[in-house]
Amino acid sequence: MSADPKTSTNATPPPISPARRASYAGITLLLLITVVALLAEGVYRLVAAPPEVFDLSGLHEFRPDREWLYRGRAGAAGEIFGTYYEINADGFRGPVHAETNPEDRKRLVVMGDSIAFGFGVDVEETFPRVIETLLASRLPKAKIEVVNLGVGGYNAWNEARLLEDVGLAYGPDVVLVQFSINDLNDPT
């Protein structure tokens, strides 16, 4: 009895043509390149520098988990209208300060909006840095540190929430609240 070729399980598939083999190789190569490119993009986004900032919104991060809603995006940096801005690791402009206030220093925490933040001026020209420089030159033994927690667009409500949540952790001896007349127009 001979086996029926239509139902035989020992049948070998027809040979693959060189053109079809090249097509399979090309598709496999394209898929491999795509997977590698996607992995490289993911790694780049995780470890690369933050994107360049071209407007003020790029300096901020939304924080729906906090009552103060947003602050500077840690590590954001860029030039806007001729002024270079850099946000420190704590999410504010200027140097990073230890949360614990050293006993040999006096600490002033500044709360405010874009004026305290220093919109349009270099970091050394922001009024909190100017205050710190003046106090250091006039009272060198006092060791006064000024922490700038100014965030553009804030009003008194945001500032009070930020002070409660973040500012008091710096152990300020004095809190200075910068107020602008436009703060009356935005009750948040």
Side-chain angles (χ1 to χ4, degrees):
M1 207 163 149
S2 68
D4 183 8
K6 293 180 183 175
T7 60
S8 174
T9 57
N10 294 337
T12 58
I16 298 174
S17 71
R20 182 165 275 183
R21 187 168 294 178
S23 294
Y24 289 153
I27 290 169
T28 303
L29 183 61
L30 284 174
L31 285 173
L32 182 62
I33 290 171
T34 303
V35 168
V36 168
L38 289 173
L39 286 172
E41 175 72 15
V43 168
Y44 174 78
R45 287 179 184 234
L46 289 174
V47 299
E52 288 188 37
V53 174
F54 297 105
D55 64 18
L56 286 176
S57 65
L59 293 175
H60 296 97
E61 69 175 347
F62 183 54
R63 292 293 307 269
D65 60 322
R66 299 286 195 241
E67 286 189 81
W68 34 266
L69 302 177
Y70 66 95
R71 72 171 173 197
R73 184 168 44 92
E79 187 173 309
I80 303 168
F81 304 120
T83 301
Y84 182 75
Y85 299 92
E86 186 172 353
I87 306 300
N88 68 30
D90 293 334
F92 301 101
R93 196 164 183 213
V96 173
H97 297 275
E99 276 195 1
T100 305
N101 187 357
E103 288 185 26
D104 67 332
R105 294 175 189 255
K106 296 295 179 191
R107 185 173 276 174
L108 175 107
V109 168
V110 176
M111 310 300 299
D113 58 15
S114 58
I115 294 172
F117 173 79
F119 179 68
V121 298
D122 292 331
V123 70
E124 296 303 320
E125 297 171 342
T126 63
F127 86 80
R129 294 293 288 180
V130 170
I131 289 172
E132 186 174 57
T133 302
L134 287 172
L135 289 172
S137 69
R138 295 188 180 160
L139 303 168
K141 293 181 182 179
K143 296 184 182 177
I144 300 172
E145 197 173 66
V146 179
V147 180
N148 184 359
L149 301 184
V151 179
Y154 267 26
N155 60 29
W157 188 89
N158 300 104
E159 294 156 11
R161 303 294 79 77
L162 184 67
L163 177 63
E164 291 169 352
D165 191 34
V166 176
L168 294 178
Y170 284 97
D173 296 294
V174 175
V175 174
L176 176 83
V177 178
Q178 169 265 311
F179 180 81
S180 298
I181 194 69
N182 67 343
D183 293 341
L184 294 173
N185 297 329
D186 186 11
T188 303

